[in-house]
Amino acid sequence: MAELLWKRGRTLGAGGFGVVSLAFTSNAQLYGVTLPSLIAVKSCMHTASQSLQEEAEFLRIFKDSPYIVRCFGANLTVEDGVILYNLMLEYASGGSLTDRLHNYNSGEGLPELEVKKHTKNVLLGLSHVHNRGIIHCDIKPGNILLVGTDEIAKIADFGLSMTLEQGINCEQGLIRGTERYMAPESVLNSEYGPQVDIWALGCTVYELLTGTPLWESDSGSEEDAGDNVLYKIGFEEPKFQNSKLSNVAQDFLKRCLVKNPSSRWTADMLLNHPFLLNSSKVADTAKTSKKQSGYLSVLRRPNGNLVFKKQPHQKIAVMHGLKFVIRLKNIERCT
């Protein structure tokens, strides 16, 4: 049946829980809905598909939000003798905000008007997520996709998401997310609530405006870089004073990057912050003056052979008496 629904095209990218491919549908019907001619299909081995199945359930809950990537459904295929579980997702032709940063002017950041627009859309999506008792746990530029000709920012990749109840009962010592966007309470105490998404949004907005991450390692060892970043997040104050930031942008970041999660503003509160005034107006130059860099977007990477591993690997790192469990990719690309 899958062959009648879609045909797999080039690889768009790979993440911790799946390989994403472009797919052609010929406007097939699924559950009475006509699929767009182009969709994105996120696939993994069926025997290791629990996370993708959970992501599908989260996306079903969020189907009414225009600021969360849409899921059209899921199916199974057999490819090269391997049974794959496939999520059929909305295709983001504009790529991610990571792509946008690199393609616009690497290292310089995006125009503030454009960042305001994207930030407001993400907050509208987060408000929808949080009001339904869900925590995303991995907000970052790479998980915010630009969809359609208007480049509407939408939240994607709910592979690490959890319910509020799961966040309260999270096992001590386990952390989830991407290191430089993790909140201090998660790093130090394995605490997860909607506030971790707000912290990650603050890190994301800083990066979009300045072109550089808020948290960077000063370790000379690449192997120790992640631990160094986590230590800084846990024990240092964020330094977001930057000449590229307006006063109102700095005040917005102060509300997001409060070390005490109970004092951090909520998504609904931030939607009323002065930083987001006139956020619907984006300067024309934001779309027309993109500078091409040597960066190769994940949307244009050449295909390689895909290797599906049966189980994700884990790496244990011990740093300053803190024990971290970091999930590595369970799906890899071979060149």
Side-chain angles (χ1 to χ4, degrees), residues 92-153:
S93 58
S96 70
L97 286 183
T98 296
D99 300 324
R100 183 80 179 92
L101 263 178
H102 284 279
N103 292 337
Y104 179 77
N105 193 351
S106 183
E108 294 298 323
L110 301 178
E112 185 171 293
L113 277 175
E114 182 180 358
V115 175
K116 288 180 178 182
K117 175 192 174 185
H118 298 327
T119 301
K120 183 174 183 178
N121 290 344
V122 173
L123 280 169
L124 287 167
L126 282 178
S127 175
H128 191 90
V129 170
H130 293 166
N131 288 334
R132 281 152 183 77
I134 308 297
I135 314 160
H136 185 278
C137 295
D138 200 19
I139 294 294
K140 59 182 179 180
N143 283 341
I144 301 169
L145 305 183
L146 301 177
V147 178
T149 55
D150 292 333
E151 295 191 333
I152 302 299

Side-chain angles (χ1 to χ4, degrees), residues 249-297:
Q250 289 195 38
D251 188 78
F252 180 87
L253 292 173
K254 286 180 182 178
R255 312 304 175 183
C256 298
L257 297 169
V258 183
K259 297 277 280 193
N260 182 353
S262 63
S263 299
R264 220 169 284 155
W265 281 26
T266 66
D268 290 336
M269 293 168 67
L270 289 168
L271 282 167
N272 293 310
H273 191 279
F275 176 66
L276 297 182
L277 292 178
N278 301 319
S279 57
S280 60
K281 299 178 181 179
V282 181
D284 292 338
T285 55
K287 291 186 178 181
T288 59
S289 62
K290 297 179 182 179
K291 294 185 179 180
Q292 296 299 322
S293 67
Y295 178 79
L296 186 62
S297 166

Side-chain angles (χ1 to χ4, degrees), residues 42-322:
K42 189 174 184 180
S43 307
C44 72
M45 289 182 63
H46 184 239
T47 54
S49 64
Q50 180 179 347
S51 293
L52 272 192
Q53 293 185 47
E54 291 174 355
E55 181 173 1
E57 183 59 25
F58 284 132
L59 290 172
R60 185 191 65 78
I61 296 172
F62 307 140
K63 64 182 180 180
D64 295 330
S65 173
Y67 304 106
I68 296 171
V69 167
R70 186 179 179 188
C71 178
F72 300 106
N75 68 357
L76 299 178
T77 57
V78 179
E79 302 178 35
D80 296 326
V82 178
I83 301 176
L84 301 180
Y85 179 86
N86 308 289
L87 271 187
M88 292 168 278
L89 303 168
E90 188 172 23
Y91 171 54
S93 58
S96 70
L97 286 183
T98 296
D99 300 324
R100 183 80 179 92
L101 263 178
H102 284 279
N103 292 337
Y104 179 77
N105 193 351
S106 183
E108 294 298 323
L110 301 178
E112 185 171 293
L113 277 175
E114 182 180 358
V115 175
K116 288 180 178 182
K117 175 192 174 185
H118 298 327
T119 301
K120 183 174 183 178
N121 290 344
V122 173
L123 280 169
L124 287 167
L126 282 178
S127 175
H128 191 90
V129 170
H130 293 166
N131 288 334
R132 281 152 183 77
I134 308 297
I135 314 160
H136 185 278
C137 295
D138 200 19
I139 294 294
K140 59 182 179 180
N143 283 341
I144 301 169
L145 305 183
L146 301 177
V147 178
T149 55
D150 292 333
E151 295 191 333
I152 302 299
K154 299 192 178 190
I155 302 172
D157 199 343
F158 286 79
L160 291 177
S161 299
M162 63 171 76
T163 64
L164 288 176
E165 182 179 0
Q166 289 172 325
I168 293 171
N169 298 315
C170 190
E171 182 180 345
Q172 188 68 25
L174 287 176
I175 60 174
R176 59 174 66 200
T178 302
E179 290 156 350
R180 61 170 53 138
Y181 307 99
M182 289 180 183
E185 65 269 22
S186 301
V187 171
L188 295 176
N189 302 312
S190 299
E191 293 180 5
Y192 290 90
Q195 300 92 336
V196 304
D197 292 337
I198 300 302
W199 176 278
L201 177 67
C203 296
T204 296
V205 171
Y206 179 90
E207 188 170 340
L208 294 178
L209 289 170
T210 66
T212 57
L214 177 60
W215 302 99
E216 292 190 281
S217 172
D218 51 19
S219 171
S221 168
E222 183 176 346
E223 184 176 346
D224 296 332
D227 292 348
N228 182 260
V229 167
L230 292 175
Y231 179 81
K232 286 185 173 184
I233 292 172
F235 298 104
E236 296 181 7
E237 290 293 327
K239 300 174 182 178
F240 48 82
Q241 290 72 26
N242 189 298
S243 60
K244 297 178 182 179
L245 301 176
S246 65
N247 290 336
V248 70
Q250 289 195 38
D251 188 78
F252 180 87
L253 292 173
K254 286 180 182 178
R255 312 304 175 183
C256 298
L257 297 169
V258 183
K259 297 277 280 193
N260 182 353
S262 63
S263 299
R264 220 169 284 155
W265 281 26
T266 66
D268 290 336
M269 293 168 67
L270 289 168
L271 282 167
N272 293 310
H273 191 279
F275 176 66
L276 297 182
L277 292 178
N278 301 319
S279 57
S280 60
K281 299 178 181 179
V282 181
D284 292 338
T285 55
K287 291 186 178 181
T288 59
S289 62
K290 297 179 182 179
K291 294 185 179 180
Q292 296 299 322
S293 67
Y295 178 79
L296 186 62
S297 166
V298 295
L299 299 178
R300 301 193 302 275
R301 286 177 185 165
N303 281 332
N305 295 324
L306 300 179
V307 177
F308 292 87
K309 292 188 174 181
K310 292 184 178 181
Q311 296 294 337
H313 293 279
Q314 290 184 331
K315 178 176 70 176
I316 306 295
V318 179
M319 178 197 68
H320 299 281
L322 300 176

